[in-house]
């Protein structure tokens, strides 16, 4: 009997997760705090006592960066969940232009072949169907299903693109908050025909969980030493604590169930811009533990938890605002309770966790300016204005306006017209670069397909071009990829944003907990594509070929 066993073992080791043992990992938990910066962990570290405190006592990679240029939520979560650059995951932006469909804006998780799924059934909620159809690579859920029979995966997040892209094609469920319709957590018929009971029961009169007083600061957040004590600073959204509910929630028994559609929608939008988007997500994750029996057998399960509140609140108030500070302290406490629950149900030795973020953020330009940075807030629609000005310049020089549109990362051109009139892409790009003062303030450079598309032996090996190449897919990327100077904000009349290749948008937390991690600080540079192979290795699962990262040790 010994010989056949020995012969079979190498096969098992190469295609399956490690065989059951006392200390086997049975659950992987990935927590992504949308728009979290390492500075926030640094500044608030001493005040954390819950989930973030646990991570800070774990394996902490201080120099972790997203290794791609378009630092936004879709690409970031796809990278966290697949170990692939956007050029390989296909998720090159939150939105991109599709040439075949007349440059129409394509949302990164759009799928017209499926229907939205809410507590009232298919089609009753949300604007359109969602799925990972546009994700070109496999995600953690896919690798685990292949390597660990019976594996279950669930993604829970405030945002659909986070829950869907950070899990993969084979997730059992991706669930996200219905911010516009007020149905609670919703999904898509891609995952099933009816919302599971544990979600539908959460959605029942979810507004009863909101406090009458709305969002007030915790006492701890008011500590002036946290550097966030002034409630309104230059550049912030002009709203102050307490952030009241938009309407009084009726509390008499039965009455709250009669909230109208309009009222539910108003309250759900309020939740989306408050810590409750995160607190609700964490509560649902705890329900998922029991409902899906996560981590209770020998298969390796996967829970993705995307806390979107930091981003939504951060866009309005900035990363050092009182609002974001208060939200992160609340996230910390709630995550601590979730982790205690996982310990109790799964056993501390049977689960591993990672903390990271889909992108960083630019501090408020006004606060940078006050410290001497050359920071500027351009008109929110400066990209559109700039591309129109470029079109006019082209028209006056070449007789034709070749600009057909603008995306979040660049400019679309009428390539057929250019060919007809004998204007090459490089010639046009040179014209646009050299004349940038006349159409786009603070333009650092433009890249074309020739600069970024992989050609044998000539992929860009460094600098901005390498980062832009990792965000480039010829069928989904614009003709001219636009890079503005650092410390430049477009798109927001107040608050701030992200999306650039500059370090403040790409530097993110990357921390590990549990078996296989080495507590302490690690200052070796690493990238977010290293996350998936690291988690697979620590869970005893094989690392598939073709990933863009390597396991961190
Ligand atoms: Zn954002």
């Amino acid at each position: 009997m010994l010989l056949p066993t020995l012969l079979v073992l190498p096969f098992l080791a190469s295609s399956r997760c490690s065989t059951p043992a006392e200390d086997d990992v049975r659950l992987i938990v990935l927590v992504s705090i949308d728009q979290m910066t390492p500075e926030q962990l640094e500044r608030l570290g001493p005040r954390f006592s819950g989930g973030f405190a646990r991570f800070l006592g774990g394996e902490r990679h201080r120099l972790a960066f997203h290794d791609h240029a378009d630092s936004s939520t879709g690409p970031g979560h796809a990278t966290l969940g697949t170990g692939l650059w956007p050029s390989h995951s296909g998720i090159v932006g939150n939105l991109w232009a599709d040439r075949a469909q007349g440059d129409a804006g394509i949302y990164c998780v759009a799928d017209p072949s499926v229907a939205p799924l809410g507590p009232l059934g298919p089609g009753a909620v949300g604007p359109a169907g969602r799925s990972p159809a546009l994700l070109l690579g496999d995600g953690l859920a896919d690798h685990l299903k292949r390597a660990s029979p019976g594996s279950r995966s669930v993604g829970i997040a405030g945002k659909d693109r986070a829950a869907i892209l950070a899990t993969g094609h084979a997730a059992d469920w991706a669930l996200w908050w219905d911010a516009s319709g007020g149905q609670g957590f919703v999904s898509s018929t891609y995952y099933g025909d009816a919302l599971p009971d544990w979600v539908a029961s959460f959605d029942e009169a979810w507004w009863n969980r909101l406090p009458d007083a709305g969002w007030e600061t915790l006492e701890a957040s008011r500590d002036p030493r946290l550097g966030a004590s002034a409630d309104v600073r230059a550049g912030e959204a002009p709203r102050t604590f307490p952030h009241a509910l938009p309407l009084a929630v009726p509390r008499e028994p039965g009455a709250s169930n009669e909230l109208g559609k309009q009222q539910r929608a108003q309250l759900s939008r309020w939740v989306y811009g408050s810590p409750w988007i995160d607190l609700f997500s964490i509560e649902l994750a705890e329900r998922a533990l029991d409902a899906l029996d996560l981590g209770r057998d020998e298969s390796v399960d996967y829970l993705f938890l995307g806390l979107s509140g930091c981003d939504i609140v951060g866009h309005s108030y900035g990363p050092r605002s009182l609002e974001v500070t208060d939200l992160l302290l609340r996230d910390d406490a709630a995550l601590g309770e979730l982790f205690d629950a996982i310990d109790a149900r799964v056993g501390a030795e049977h689960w591993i966790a990672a903390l990271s973020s889909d992108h960083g953020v630019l501090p408020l330009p006004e606060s940078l300016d006050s410290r001497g940075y050359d920071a500027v807030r351009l008109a929110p629609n400066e990209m559109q204005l700039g591309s129109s000005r470029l079109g006019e310049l082209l028209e006056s020089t070449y007789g034709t306006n070749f600009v057909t549109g603008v995306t979040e990362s660049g400019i679309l051109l009428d390539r057929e017209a250019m060919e007809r009139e004998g204007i090459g892409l490089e010639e046009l790009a040179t014209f646009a670069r050299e004349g940038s003062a006349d159409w786009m303030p603070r333009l650092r450079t433009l890249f074309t397909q020739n600069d970024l598309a992989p050609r044998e032996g000539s992929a860009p090996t460094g600098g901005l071009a390498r980062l832009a190449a990792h965000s480039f897919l010829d069928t989904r990327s614009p003709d001219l990829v636009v890079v503005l100077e650092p410390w430049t904000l477009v798109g927001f009349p107040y608050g701030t944003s992200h999306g650039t290749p500059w370090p403040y948008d790409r530097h993110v937390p990357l921390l590990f907990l549990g078996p296989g991690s080495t507590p302490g600080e690690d200052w070796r540079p690493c990238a977010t594509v290293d996350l998936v192979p690291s988690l697979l290795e620590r869970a005893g699962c094989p690392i598939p070929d073709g990933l863009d990262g390597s396991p961190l040790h």
Side-chain angles (χ1 to χ4, degrees):
M1 288 305 287
L2 191 60
L3 194 59
T5 308
L6 284 172
L7 284 172
V8 165
L9 269 177
F11 167 74
L12 285 177
S14 67
S15 64
R16 293 189 159 198
C17 303
S18 60
T19 46
E22 282 298 288
D23 57 351
D24 246 22
V25 171
R26 295 169 185 173
L27 175 64
I28 296 172
V29 178
L30 171 56
V31 181
S32 165
I33 310 295
D34 199 314
Q35 203 190 102
M36 186 182 232
T37 66
E39 185 274 337
Q40 288 164 337
L41 277 179
E42 189 91 52
R43 174 165 48 95
L44 300 176
R47 315 303 168 111
F48 291 140
S49 57
F52 293 142
R54 277 221 214 182
F55 275 115
L56 287 169
E59 179 178 321
R60 186 177 181 189
H61 293 269
R62 301 298 299 264
L63 295 177
F65 286 81
H66 280 291
D67 208 10
H68 56 254
D70 188 337
S71 51
S72 47
T73 294
H77 280 104
T79 292
L80 294 178
T82 62
L84 298 172
W85 297 315
S87 53
H88 294 152
S89 74
I91 307 300
V92 296
N94 286 333
L95 287 159
W96 58 77
D98 186 303
R99 304 282 150 60
Q101 299 184 30
D103 288 346
I106 301 290
Y107 182 46
C108 58
V109 287
D111 183 355
S113 75
V114 297
L117 181 66
L120 304 177
V125 64
R130 303 281 182 245
S131 88
L134 298 170
L135 179 67
L136 302 181
D138 281 342
L140 205 42
D142 306 302
H143 299 309
L144 290 173
K145 277 264 197 279
R146 218 170 281 132
S148 179
S151 168
R152 280 157 304 224
S153 292
V154 61
I156 296 170
K159 296 180 184 175
D160 50 10
R161 56 190 181 276
I164 293 169
L165 297 173
T167 46
H169 302 273
D172 293 84
W173 284 100
L175 299 150
W176 55 89
W177 185 248
D178 177 25
S180 55
Q183 299 293 316
F185 282 94
V186 297
S187 186
S188 146
T189 54
Y190 174 83
Y191 298 98
D193 297 331
L195 218 51
D197 287 345
W198 55 277
V199 185
S201 62
F202 178 95
D203 287 347
E204 227 166 85
W206 54 262
W207 45 86
N208 279 335
R209 295 180 179 83
L210 296 175
D212 282 325
W215 180 13
E216 298 181 293
T217 48
L218 300 170
E219 193 56 40
S221 312
R222 287 279 181 185
D223 185 336
R225 288 171 300 164
L226 288 175
S229 58
D231 194 352
V232 179
R233 291 180 292 182
E236 275 196 44
R239 297 186 288 269
T240 54
F241 279 104
H243 295 283
L245 296 178
L247 52 99
V249 177
R251 299 295 185 189
E252 316 85 74
S256 58
N257 292 315
E258 288 153 26
L259 271 189
K261 201 176 165 195
Q262 206 77 3
Q263 294 170 304
R264 287 202 307 267
Q266 265 182 292
L267 282 171
S268 68
R269 275 195 298 275
W270 183 90
V271 167
Y272 199 58
S274 81
W276 276 268
I277 186 63
D278 291 354
L279 302 179
F280 285 0
S281 300
I282 294 167
E283 189 182 331
L284 195 65
E286 191 169 339
R287 285 183 178 224
L289 282 181
D290 282 332
L292 299 175
D293 264 342
L294 297 179
R296 289 299 177 91
D297 60 25
E298 287 136 14
S299 59
V300 182
D301 299 328
Y302 173 38
L303 169 65
F304 169 74
L305 179 58
L307 302 186
S308 308
C310 183
D311 180 76
I312 300 152
V313 173
H315 273 296
S316 290
Y317 303 97
R320 299 186 56 150
S321 59
L322 184 53
E323 281 83 358
V324 167
T325 297
D326 190 76
L327 176 139
L328 290 173
L329 289 170
R330 290 172 188 268
D331 283 357
D332 170 61
L335 281 173
E337 287 174 23
L338 175 69
F339 291 175
D340 289 345
I342 300 175
D343 277 344
R345 288 173 174 83
V346 177
E349 70 282 20
H350 290 307
W351 67 288
I352 59 173
L355 171 71
S356 192
S357 180
D358 51 345
H359 52 74
V361 70
L362 177 73
L364 292 171
E366 290 78 2
S367 88
L368 289 167
D369 178 72
S370 74
R371 287 184 277 147
Y373 289 77
D374 181 23
V376 63
R377 181 187 298 275
L378 296 176
N381 60 342
E382 194 65 51
M383 279 285 284
Q384 286 84 351
L385 297 173
S387 64
S388 305
R389 287 189 293 259
L390 176 61
E392 287 160 20
L393 285 174
L394 289 168
E395 183 144 26
S396 64
T397 307
Y398 295 99
T400 306
N401 175 357
F402 298 110
V403 174
T404 59
V406 60
T407 71
E408 60 186 15
S409 60
I411 292 168
L412 302 166
L413 300 170
D414 185 343
R415 300 286 287 272
E416 278 176 26
M418 286 168 60
E419 200 165 319
R420 241 181 0 252
E421 300 186 25
I423 314 294
L425 183 58
E426 287 315 308
E427 180 185 344
L428 194 150
T430 303
F431 172 88
R433 277 188 209 106
E434 289 177 355
S436 72
D438 294 325
W439 65 275
M440 190 66 210
R442 303 197 37 124
L443 183 79
R444 164 63 70 99
T445 192
L446 294 169
F447 292 113
T448 68
Q449 185 163 2
N450 298 337
D451 301 316
L452 305 178
R455 293 186 305 274
E456 215 162 315
S458 65
T461 53
L464 287 174
R466 180 176 174 276
L467 295 168
H470 290 170
S471 279
F472 186 84
L473 189 62
D474 56 358
T475 51
R476 295 180 179 180
S477 293
D479 299 287
L480 298 176
V481 173
V482 173
V483 180
L484 301 180
E485 294 287 353
W487 322 114
T488 306
L489 181 72
V490 287
F492 285 77
Y494 52 74
T496 187
S497 195
H498 50 86
T500 78
W502 301 112
Y504 49 77
D505 278 350
R506 295 189 301 107
H507 191 195
V508 289
L510 184 59
L511 300 91
F512 293 90
L513 271 185
S517 60
T518 309
E521 297 192 341
D522 190 323
W523 289 86
R524 291 170 295 177
C526 61
T528 48
V529 286
D530 299 328
L531 177 59
V532 160
S534 299
L535 289 172
L536 285 171
E537 185 176 80
R538 288 159 199 230
C541 300
I543 298 168
D545 292 335
L547 298 186
D548 290 318
S550 322
L552 300 168
H553 298 116

